[in-house]
Amino acid sequence: MTEAFRTDTRNIFAASVMVTQPIYMGGAITAANRLADISERMAANDRTSQIQSTLYDIDKAYWTVVSLKHKKRLADSYLKLVSKLDDDVSKMIKQGVATRADGLKVSVKVNEAEMTLMQVDNGLSLSKMLLCQLCGLPMTGDIILADEDSKTIDTTGDMATGNVQTAMDKRPELLMLQDMVDMSKQTVRLTRAAFMPQVALTGGYLLSNPNVFNGYEKKFAGVWNIGVMVRIPVWNWMEGAYKVRATKGATAIAQLELTDAREKVELQVTQNRYKLNEAHKRLAIATKSIERAEENLRCAVLGFKEGVMQTTDVMEAQTAWLQAQTQKIDAEIDVKLSQVSLRKALGELTY
């Protein structure tokens, strides 16, 4: 009879499954979803910013290679000029119509031209290696650029068409700062939601063996349960107000940073437009200087042949011609780089 009152509790099994469905969480769920969307948008803007920075570096390296290639061709031409002058002076020394001092002066110019050519060759090789590295190509590869063999550099194409408003709408840096402002606003809502009433629907199933639903049975049996959970903060010693105030301060700071960045971008766009206009003016002046330098060199060579001009006059004319040609190349490259800088400032630098 006493055995009937004994329970075998040596092996007890229990399992419980609970499900909670939020109904109202003070706006935290909506704020969290918006934060996720903003994070995706910020990642895309950051990728765009990195792409534009990479393209800008590639364009600078590209036009540096083109500049050095043109200067190499110019250095070859200058070396031929001074070599021809050196040969003429050597013949004149043999004939007794020129002094050895004249020959030494020209020889120095030949050595300087050879050194310049070697420096340009080294710079060209290094610039091509840098361009290959930026493009992900083997650094030892011998690449040929589309503009390096052209006689003149086209400075009319690839023009930027946007304005300051275009930069405000397209610059990824500004878009990222706007995303930070939006994230800060959602953080305010998320912080506020933690101190607001919250409602959730709960449900579950409790399973046990042995069970007590029909006497005391050694088999699995359970019970369903469903309910509503309500959480109402009553008093937190103004913790919520302080946290919300702090996140609002962060939002104000982010907004000020965005405003400051917009002003800097506007200034950057204006500066790049001025630089582009100045580059075009320098190119026009350099083009006129070349015409004068070529005429001056022609007159100097002709006068030297006629015996009315000295060797130093010819060397000065050759040096002036070299400087004019170099300035023209630099002006053309400056125009191209100014165009690239303006497009980047406007957010239009794409591939």
Side-chain angles (χ1 to χ4, degrees):
M1 188 68 173
T2 57
E3 295 294 329
F5 293 97
R6 295 181 181 272
T7 58
D8 186 5
T9 56
R10 289 174 296 178
N11 298 306
I12 300 176
F13 304 92
S16 176
V17 178
M18 294 292 295
V19 177
T20 302
Q21 173 60 50
I23 298 176
Y24 176 72
M25 303 299 291
I29 297 176
T30 302
N33 290 334
R34 291 177 179 174
L35 280 173
D37 295 336
I38 295 171
S39 297
E40 291 182 0
R41 192 167 64 242
M42 180 178 289
N45 291 329
D46 181 60
R47 178 176 177 271
T48 302
S49 176
Q50 293 179 7
I51 289 175
Q52 290 192 358
S53 298
T54 302
L55 291 176
Y56 181 68
D57 293 337
I58 291 175
D59 280 339
K60 288 200 300 183
Y62 178 92
W63 291 114
T64 300
V65 172
V66 173
S67 173
L68 290 173
K69 183 66 175 181
H70 282 71
K71 288 182 178 179
K72 179 180 182 299
R73 193 158 56 239
L74 177 61
D76 286 330
S77 299
Y78 180 69
L79 180 58
K80 291 178 181 178
L81 281 176
V82 294
S83 297
K84 178 65 169 58
L85 179 62
D86 183 53
D87 183 63
D88 292 340
V89 172
S90 298
K91 293 178 181 179
M92 294 174 66
I93 292 175
K94 292 179 181 179
Q95 297 297 326
V97 295
T99 64
R100 184 171 176 79
D102 293 332
L104 292 175
K105 291 178 183 179
V106 178
S107 296
V108 171
K109 286 294 182 180
V110 172
N111 293 335
E112 291 178 353
E114 291 175 347
M115 180 61 68
T116 301
L117 181 59
M118 184 184 67
Q119 292 175 345
V120 172
D121 280 332
N122 293 337
L124 181 60
S125 299
L126 292 175
S127 298
K128 283 192 174 183
M129 290 177 66
L130 175 60
L131 181 60
C132 290
Q133 189 268 332
L134 291 173
C135 295
L137 299 174
M139 296 179 63
T140 56
D142 187 15
I143 59 175
I144 299 176
L145 306 185
D147 296 286
E148 69 177 35
D149 293 326
S150 60
K151 294 183 179 180
T152 58
I153 300 174
D154 183 17
T155 58
T156 59
D158 202 22
M159 298 293 293
T161 58
N163 50 24
V164 175
Q165 187 59 44
T166 303
M168 300 299 174
D169 297 335
K170 290 186 177 182
R171 280 289 293 268
E173 296 88 347
L174 296 180
L175 297 178
M176 290 174 64
L177 287 174
Q178 182 61 56
D179 292 337
M180 292 182 64
V181 173
D182 296 338
M183 289 184 69
S184 183
K185 291 180 180 179
Q186 298 304 321
T187 303
V188 173
R189 298 179 181 178
L190 199 61
T191 303
R192 185 186 293 114
F195 300 95
M196 295 183 66
Q198 299 175 358
V199 181
L201 179 65
T202 62
Y205 184 75
L206 176 63
L207 179 69
S208 65
N209 183 7
N211 69 84
V212 294
F213 297 111
N214 187 15
Y216 192 84
E217 297 179 316
K218 293 187 63 177
K219 64 180 183 179
F220 286 98
V223 60
W224 293 94
N225 62 82
I226 188 171
V228 177
M229 181 178 66
V230 180
R231 175 181 175 273
I232 303 177
V234 178
W235 182 253
N236 51 32
W237 299 98
M238 302 299 291
E239 178 186 3
Y242 294 146
K243 288 186 175 181
V244 170
R245 192 179 303 166
T247 52
K248 285 185 176 180
T251 302
I253 293 174
Q255 187 64 51
L256 290 174
E257 290 177 351
L258 176 60
T259 302
D260 181 64
R262 287 178 179 273
E263 293 176 354
K264 290 180 178 179
V265 166
E266 182 178 359
L267 178 62
Q268 187 180 31
V269 171
T270 305
Q271 288 176 338
N272 279 281
R273 287 198 181 278
Y274 288 159
K275 288 181 179 179
L276 181 57
N277 293 333
E278 292 174 0
H280 279 292
K281 292 180 180 178
R282 282 197 298 269
L283 178 58
I285 294 173
T287 302
K288 294 180 180 178
S289 298
I290 284 182
E291 297 175 358
R292 297 170 183 172
E294 289 178 346
E295 180 62 20
N296 182 37
L297 178 60
R298 188 188 67 82
C299 294
V301 172
L302 182 60
F304 179 73
K305 290 181 179 180
E306 297 295 332
V308 297
M309 299 191 73
Q310 300 296 324
T311 306
T312 54
D313 297 328
V314 179
M315 289 190 296
E316 289 177 359
Q318 290 175 343
T319 302
W321 175 84
L322 177 64
Q323 291 177 350
Q325 293 286 351
T326 303
Q327 289 174 358
K328 181 176 181 294
I329 294 174
D330 291 338
E332 289 174 339
I333 298 300
D334 194 20
V335 170
K336 298 302 294 187
L337 292 178
S338 297
Q339 290 174 352
V340 173
S341 298
L342 179 57
R343 290 177 59 216
K344 184 177 184 297
L346 292 171
E348 296 181 346
L349 193 60
T350 57
Y351 59 93

